[in-house]
Amino acid sequence: MRDKFYRGREMKAEMTLAEWIGKRQQAVRPTSLKTYESYERAHIIPYFGNRRLSRISNHHIFEFREHLEEKKKLAPKTIRDIQGHLIKILKDAKSHGYIEAVPEAAKAVLKTREKPILSQREQKILCETLKKDLNAKSIAVLLSVGAGLRLGEVMGLNVGDVDLEAGVLRVRYSRQRVKTAEEDKTRVIKTALKTGKSRRDIPLNAPLKEILKEYLKHSTKKDIQKPLISWKEKKPIDARTVQYYFTELKKSHQLDPSVTFHSLRHSFATRALEAGVDMQALSELMGHSSVAFTLSCYGHCATEHKRVQMEKMAQCW
């Protein structure tokens, strides 16, 4: 019995991080699981995989952070999220007796990095192009740049979520592709948004309301549950199709290659601040968890806008 106990301890002491990741089970949402597995597959396992759990120190985690920042060139928030997941993996290992303590790793320093966005001129030209051919894919782009929606939120909309009478867009769901139990297989699922702040009603301004009214002019009450971004046979369009469509738009409009579909959301926020929308209202429109988070993302935009306004007052001196 005593020998079995010591053999068990030795086996635990020899376990590598990759082996522990393969052994542990996570009770998380399918969409979150997809993200976590991508962190493990692309970054954590290649860097730490063959290192024993008991040999991972605070210094190693610090070096890992530098690796993600300097060699992988990842965004500060992404680095923080990856490191946070690594710490959770180690905490789980500790709770099961594989390590005695979790390294007290320092949080990743979040450096302000300029988010790629469309200029006012680029945005105006792009929207004019899209309005000439209103279809499911062009509407998806217009909703992101015109209402600040994430791609998953756009894909999660039903026809009934567009309330033209009340003049609001009801954002309640997200549609994303997740990994299934079968290896290398994925499927698209629709899930409720994570937080109350994400579930929101976005007032439609006059131009966006008219665009949606035109797009939905042939819809009936029977179409309420139909995905807003769908093919003619009512089958939802895959998010990858919309992303490919936007890539082609970037090429035809000679936009900066660093601009992504998510940049449309950042462009919306920047235009809102330029128009004088206050940070509290913008936070609610974006579905952020707090005004502080919105400020951390777009505070520099607000400051720059105020600086431009102050320069206009220079003539008073």
Side-chain angles (χ1 to χ4, degrees):
M1 190 71 164
R2 187 182 180 86
D3 289 342
K4 185 177 180 181
F5 171 75
Y6 282 113
R7 281 200 304 272
R9 288 190 62 178
E10 288 173 2
M11 287 175 63
K12 286 186 174 183
E14 293 295 320
M15 181 168 282
T16 66
L17 182 66
E19 289 171 337
W20 170 242
I21 287 175
K23 176 184 176 66
R24 68 194 284 263
Q25 294 183 345
Q26 302 181 78
V28 296
R29 293 160 57 100
T31 50
S32 298
L33 184 61
K34 178 186 175 184
T35 300
Y36 296 154
E37 288 182 342
S38 70
Y39 292 163
E40 294 163 2
R41 183 174 57 254
H43 305 291
I44 296 174
I45 292 177
Y47 193 89
F48 287 107
N50 294 321
R51 189 180 294 276
R52 281 187 285 175
L53 285 166
S54 58
R55 295 294 182 86
I56 297 175
S57 68
N58 193 62
H59 177 68
H60 293 136
I61 295 177
F62 180 77
E63 288 186 331
F64 177 54
R65 189 177 76 200
E66 288 189 328
H67 167 77
L68 296 176
E69 184 175 25
E70 296 174 9
K71 292 189 176 182
K72 294 295 185 177
K73 307 295 184 184
L74 298 182
K77 183 182 181 300
T78 304
I79 295 172
R80 184 185 65 189
D81 291 345
I82 293 171
Q83 182 173 288
H85 183 56
L86 172 62
I87 296 301
K88 187 176 186 304
I89 290 171
L90 294 174
K91 283 183 177 179
D92 287 347
K94 178 179 180 293
S95 69
H96 286 80
Y98 286 89
I99 55 176
E100 294 183 1
V102 176
E104 296 180 359
K107 291 183 179 179
V109 178
L110 292 177
K111 298 176 183 177
T112 301
R113 184 181 293 182
E114 207 65 32
K115 292 179 173 65
I117 61 169
L118 302 177
S119 68
Q120 290 187 17
R121 180 176 177 277
E122 288 172 335
Q123 183 171 326
K124 186 173 181 60
I125 293 173
L126 178 63
C127 288
E128 287 301 320
T129 298
L130 295 169
K131 286 187 285 187
K132 290 176 183 177
D133 181 22
L134 292 181
N135 55 64
K137 291 179 288 187
S138 62
I139 285 293
V141 176
L142 285 167
L143 282 174
S144 187
V145 75
L149 269 63
R150 303 172 179 91
L151 179 56
E153 292 173 339
V154 173
M155 308 313 292
L157 291 170
N158 286 339
V159 169
D161 294 323
V162 182
D163 190 336
L164 293 173
E165 188 174 338
V168 297
L169 186 66
R170 307 193 190 284
V171 185
R172 297 292 185 275
Y173 298 94
S174 178
R175 184 177 274 111
Q176 298 181 37
R177 181 169 291 278
V178 300
K179 189 175 180 181
T180 65
E182 298 178 53
E183 192 174 352
D184 296 327
K185 295 285 185 178
T186 62
R187 64 187 176 93
V188 176
I189 64 169
K190 184 177 178 181
T191 61
L193 296 174
K194 290 182 179 180
T195 68
K197 294 292 181 66
S198 296
R199 296 187 291 272
R200 59 203 188 276
D201 290 350
I202 300 177
L204 297 171
N205 57 35
L208 191 53
K209 184 177 178 180
E210 283 304 308
I211 287 169
L212 288 169
K213 184 178 179 180
E214 175 66 20
Y215 176 63
L216 295 172
K217 65 182 180 182
H218 297 302
S219 297
T220 66
K221 290 183 178 180
K222 293 180 180 180
D223 296 321
I224 288 178
Q225 297 302 319
K226 171 188 171 184
L228 184 68
I229 311 303
S230 63
W231 302 108
K232 288 183 178 180
E233 61 272 21
K234 301 183 181 181
K235 181 182 177 182
I237 293 177
D238 193 290
R240 293 181 297 190
T241 301
V242 174
Q243 287 176 317
Y244 178 77
Y245 170 74
F246 181 66
T247 298
E248 294 303 304
L249 281 174
K250 279 199 303 181
K251 292 176 183 177
S252 62
H253 286 73
Q254 298 182 319
L255 300 178
D256 189 327
S258 65
V259 169
T260 65
F261 191 93
H262 200 69
S263 299
L264 299 173
R265 176 171 158 85
H266 295 318
S267 300
F268 166 80
T270 303
R271 298 290 98 80
L273 290 170
E274 289 170 351
V277 175
D278 66 81
M279 202 62 74
Q280 173 70 47
L282 178 60
S283 183
E284 293 175 3
L285 290 170
M286 298 289 283
H288 283 163
S289 57
S290 67
V291 177
F293 180 79
T294 308
L295 191 60
S296 71
C297 293
Y298 303 106
H300 64 287
C301 299
T303 300
E304 186 58 33
H305 176 63
K306 290 174 184 176
R307 182 175 287 110
V308 171
Q309 302 310 308
M310 284 296 289
E311 285 300 322
K312 292 180 181 178
M313 299 174 64
Q315 60 185 346
C316 301
W317 293 85

